Amino acid sequence: MRQIAVIGGGPSGMMAAIAAAREGAAVTILEQKEKPGKKLLMTGNGRCNLTNRSASLEEGYGQQARIFVRECLEQFGAKDTVHFFESLGMKTKNREALVYPLTDQASTVLEILLLELRRWKIKIKCGERVVKLCCNLEEQTKKCEGEEKKKRWTVKTEGWSYQADCVILAAGSKAAPATGSDGSGYQLAENLGLKIKKPLPALVPLKCSGKMTAMLAGLRSSVKLTLWVNGKKVQQEEGELQWTEYGISGIVVFQVSAKAVRALEEKKKVEVELDLLPSMEAGEIAQFLEKTAKNDEKKTVEECLMGVFPKKMVSVLMGEMGWNKGDSAGKHPREEWDKLSRKCKGMRLFITGSKSFEQAQVCSGGVELSEVDGKTLESKRHGGLYLSGEILDIDGICGGYNLQWAWTSGYICGTYAAKGK
């Protein structure tokens, strides 16, 4: 029976352990926190967005990784994820393309996985921080003529050493280190000679220059957001934005954050352009405001704007236009309303940075994809070493893509490690 050590008890590690055990392997999970699955409990704001049923699922990942991801999804995709959990007795439900447990609780997903781990008698060793991986050759016990030596792995923790035929490195990234993803897996991989693309925060709030965001802190706006890098349009998203003291947050920001942070790391100029009223054309806005002003000559510009914009935004726009609080709305010609409408359709913010790994949901970067076999996720340098989940240079946008990669990569690693292929 093949002995497999899984480093990391997150979603990918648990899936890898289950897949390997189902193929007949003896599996031990080494988890450095006091319990496995701590980060899983945080996903989807505690509701756990399991996967995404999009017909073009691979488009939720970075462009350079899409072909790699697509081939992996062909082995274990969104339908396989839903079938896997429902076969374990957990009903799912859809919100458009997003898939959640019927209970809307991430704790249900974790409990179901723990039940399956116990059913397959998978050992879970908690409080075990792995500090070193080393591979050696061992004589086969059988004395058959021509028998080759086989590789054995030694997994050293701070207090013990474990022996295994294969190791699955599912130690996570540097995002949300309080859950156990402290980046230690990168060091283990680097010590074995694997190439690492610098990990950076992703799905993370962004910091902006200027005082505008602080003035709007606490406000939520439905916007169309366009990311610009060195004057080139890179990505566009639409959704709810949250204004903060330091900058901007919300899902619409998270979706572009990986590219924004990577561009800043490369010393590029990064801006976001916000359309504050994506449901209206600029001319339509100007016409409505001008008409409102003319309907009541006693109205101030503030009173005219408050029927279209939240109060905090009204103050910001008036400042941008150089208007005073008590100014009469009727005194402003159409040209000024046109100018204001263009401002609210194209508000520019300069991005200066992001929040830290502590506030990031995932990372961009990690072990380069050229280091692993695209079918089995086995290391090309070290036979018997498989890499799963966030430790690889694959990150997705919000919407179940990152958890799907955890399930997919875990299944692939566990299956091939157990088969010895």
Side-chain angles (χ1 to χ4, degrees), residues 261-419:
V261 175
R262 185 66 61 180
L264 288 171
E265 175 68 18
E266 296 168 355
K267 309 299 182 185
K268 296 177 180 178
K269 180 183 177 183
V270 181
E271 301 171 271
V272 294
E273 182 181 73
L274 301 179
D275 180 348
L276 301 176
L277 291 173
S279 63
M280 298 176 69
E281 297 296 329
E284 185 182 0
I285 298 168
Q287 183 180 18
F288 180 84
L289 292 173
E290 182 187 30
K291 182 179 179 181
T292 301
K294 288 181 177 179
N295 283 344
D296 185 350
E297 294 181 357
K298 295 182 180 180
K299 272 194 173 182
T300 64
V301 287
E302 182 182 29
E303 292 169 337
C304 189
L305 292 171
M306 65 188 297
V308 179
F309 301 99
K311 191 171 184 179
K312 285 186 177 181
M313 187 62 71
V314 169
S315 296
V316 167
L317 290 173
M318 286 176 61
E320 288 285 301
M321 293 295 295
W323 293 348
N324 296 315
K325 191 172 183 180
D327 283 354
S328 170
K331 77 174 186 179
H332 295 290
R334 174 59 184 264
E335 290 76 17
E336 290 194 51
W337 295 115
D338 284 331
K339 182 179 178 181
L340 182 142
S341 67
R342 289 194 297 271
K343 282 184 177 294
C344 74
K345 294 290 286 185
M347 180 180 285
R348 287 265 177 159
L349 300 174
F350 290 92
I351 307 301
T352 59
S354 74
K355 297 296 277 184
S356 67
F357 288 109
E358 281 75 11
Q359 285 77 42
Q361 293 183 25
V362 297
C363 287
S364 67
V367 176
E368 295 185 7
L369 300 183
S370 60
E371 291 285 353
V372 296
D373 182 283
K375 180 180 179 182
T376 66
L377 302 185
E378 185 176 18
S379 167
K380 293 178 180 179
R381 295 174 187 263
H382 303 283
L385 174 66
Y386 296 79
L387 292 98
S388 174
E390 285 186 50
I391 197 167
L392 288 166
D393 181 20
I394 292 176
D395 61 283
I397 58 175
C398 296
Y401 296 96
N402 290 293
L403 263 186
Q404 180 58 55
W405 175 244
W407 311 131
T408 295
S409 58
Y411 172 83
I412 290 172
C413 286
T415 300
Y416 285 103
K419 290 180 179 179

Side-chain angles (χ1 to χ4, degrees), residues 5 58 61 105 119 144 178 204 215 277 291 358 375 387 411:
E58 68 275 4
Y61 304 89
Q105 295 185 342
R119 188 166 84 89
C144 300
V204 66
M215 294 173 64
L277 291 173
K291 182 179 179 181
E358 281 75 11
K375 180 180 179 182
L387 292 98
Y411 172 83

